[in-house]
Amino acid sequence: MRELRIGDLARATGISVETVRYYERIGLMPPPGRTQGNYRAYDRGHLERLNFIRHARTLGFDIAEIRSLLALAAQPATDCAAADAIASCHLTAVEAKIASLEALRAELTRFAGQCRGGAAADCRVLEVLADHRLCTGEHRLQTPEGPADTRRPAPR
Amino acid sequence: MRELRIGDLARATGISVETVRYYERIGLMPPPGRTQGNYRAYDRGHLERLNFIRHARTLGFDIAEIRSLLALAAQPATDCAAADAIASCHLTAVEAKIASLEALRAELTRFAGQCRGGAAADCRVLEVLADHRLCTGEHRLQTPEGPADTRRPAPR
DNA sequence: CTTGACCCTGCAGCCGCTACAGGGTGCATA
DNA sequence: TATGCACCCTGTAGCGGCTGCAGGGTCAAG
């Protein structure tokens, strides 16, 4: 099988050339051999490793986790429990993130899209942001009697 | 009401002192007045603005969105539709993120926590990462650094 | 007069890339 | 042989949204 240039590797995995070089720089990919013209020359092992990395990134594992998983995969005799622990821990984190985003969605649906076309002074969105207690269901305008913007305008 | 030091503002909003200074640096907070000892001196307007920012960040708005929302809030006469559009757009993004995380969770639950205590060579987690097609239900071993087999290289 | 809490500026680092600039290589075509 | 073009190289800087630190200044209490 022919040697692979970095662009071949990129096309084969869907990872950009710059990112492949970045992975090498941070030690996630081993430095490949070089051609006479100083081009990186990859083999099938590199391709498989990069695919492994891509799959793991797609699943949301961070670089440190991937490093550990690669180390475990490189030693087939070790106990698999460590790999399972990483995955389970990651699953828990994903579930937590989903929960917090769902809470966010609940709050946003409470006021987004409720525009009645009025002026900003009556805007439900801006009201809620100005006084977060409104999120809990109350509905009162917070703009004080004086103009809300006695402060200087934001620079820039 | 007394002037507020940056630490007072931080305590009152739950935003760190460093972050308040950062918001000033990027023009999200207007530069406050200074005391004789060159301390920042904030007033109630600053406190309200910072609370607005915190609420918006809590809801996941990014800095650019917050800048727009603040600009709209500062001009009570303008049409509120713009604010509503920002919020609705953000809601859509949140929903998309939830959907993609749920897909992730589905994949992860398919193999995380299935450790039978064996060696890494038989590890379901590492198998899946080495050959993502396994996610769809197949079950065959493929160590990433292992000897080249007859599997064809990934297309694309 | 000293202690300690607070404040100041400026800059570097985090993560995971991404995007240049400024040059070299390799192959097909005129 | 010359030319063009796609590809490759190194190095560096930037993104967003902070966070942390060094090395100093200020201020009120004891």
Side-chain angles (χ1 to χ4, degrees):
Chain A
M1 185 196 167
R2 204 175 70 70
E3 271 177 347
L4 296 160
R5 296 284 159 274
I6 196 170
D8 301 326
L9 211 64
R11 265 182 301 275
T13 58
I15 287 176
S16 83
V17 166
E18 286 89 354
T19 301
V20 176
R21 282 196 285 249
Y22 167 72
Y23 286 164
E24 181 182 329
R25 205 160 59 242
I26 64 171
L28 200 56
M29 285 293 287
R34 296 288 179 136
T35 66
Q36 290 196 323
N38 198 32
Y39 285 12
R40 288 174 178 81
Y42 295 97
D43 61 20
R44 176 167 283 277
H46 289 101
L47 179 57
E48 280 166 11
R49 189 180 176 98
L50 194 51
N51 264 323
F52 186 105
I53 293 168
R54 178 171 64 91
H55 298 333
R57 289 293 298 135
T58 303
L59 289 167
F61 290 97
D62 64 26
I63 302 289
E65 287 169 331
I66 295 174
R67 247 186 251 279
S68 306
L69 290 168
L70 282 166
L72 290 167
Q75 303 194 339
T78 49
D79 190 357
C80 135
D84 198 273
I86 292 172
S88 298
C89 172
H90 181 55
L91 173 57
T92 304
V94 166
E95 280 168 346
K97 201 170 256 175
I98 288 173
S100 95
L101 280 176
E102 274 171 350
L104 231 64
R105 177 176 55 183
E107 295 225 11
L108 284 168
T109 49
R110 223 173 277 149
F111 65 86
Q114 305 205 341
C115 181
R116 302 173 306 274
D122 287 319
C123 183
R124 183 92 178 95
V125 173
L126 298 174
E127 274 173 44
V128 171
L129 290 172
D131 187 350
H132 209 224
R133 289 170 302 174
L134 295 174
C135 273
T136 60
E138 306 165 49
H139 188 226
R140 230 180 52 75
L141 184 59
Q142 179 60 22
T143 324
E145 62 287 352
D149 51 7
T150 43
R151 33 197 172 150
R152 274 165 295 170
R156 302 177 341 103
Chain B
M1 186 192 166
R2 206 175 68 70
E3 271 176 348
L4 296 160
R5 295 284 159 278
I6 196 171
D8 301 325
L9 211 65
R11 264 183 300 277
T13 58
I15 287 177
S16 83
V17 166
E18 286 89 354
T19 301
V20 176
R21 282 196 285 246
Y22 167 72
Y23 285 163
E24 181 181 330
R25 206 160 58 243
I26 64 171
L28 199 56
M29 285 293 287
R34 297 290 179 135
T35 67
Q36 289 198 323
N38 199 31
Y39 286 12
R40 287 172 178 83
Y42 295 98
D43 60 22
R44 175 165 284 277
H46 289 102
L47 181 57
E48 278 165 15
R49 189 179 176 97
L50 194 52
N51 264 325
F52 186 106
I53 293 168
R54 178 171 65 90
H55 299 332
R57 288 295 297 134
T58 303
L59 288 168
F61 291 97
D62 64 25
I63 301 291
E65 287 167 332
I66 295 173
R67 246 187 251 278
S68 306
L69 291 169
L70 281 166
L72 290 168
Q75 302 193 341
T78 50
D79 191 358
C80 138
D84 199 274
I86 293 172
S88 298
C89 172
H90 180 55
L91 173 56
T92 304
V94 166
E95 279 168 347
K97 201 171 253 174
I98 288 173
S100 95
L101 280 176
E102 273 170 351
L104 231 65
R105 178 176 57 183
E107 294 224 11
L108 284 169
T109 49
R110 224 174 274 149
F111 64 87
Q114 304 203 342
C115 181
R116 302 173 307 275
D122 287 319
C123 183
R124 184 91 178 96
V125 174
L126 299 175
E127 275 171 43
V128 171
L129 291 172
D131 186 350
H132 210 223
R133 289 171 305 171
L134 294 174
C135 273
T136 62
E138 306 165 49
H139 189 224
R140 229 179 57 77
L141 178 63
Q142 183 53 52
T143 323
E145 303 270 12
D149 69 353
T150 54
R151 190 163 49 106
R152 67 195 184 292
R156 302 177 335 112

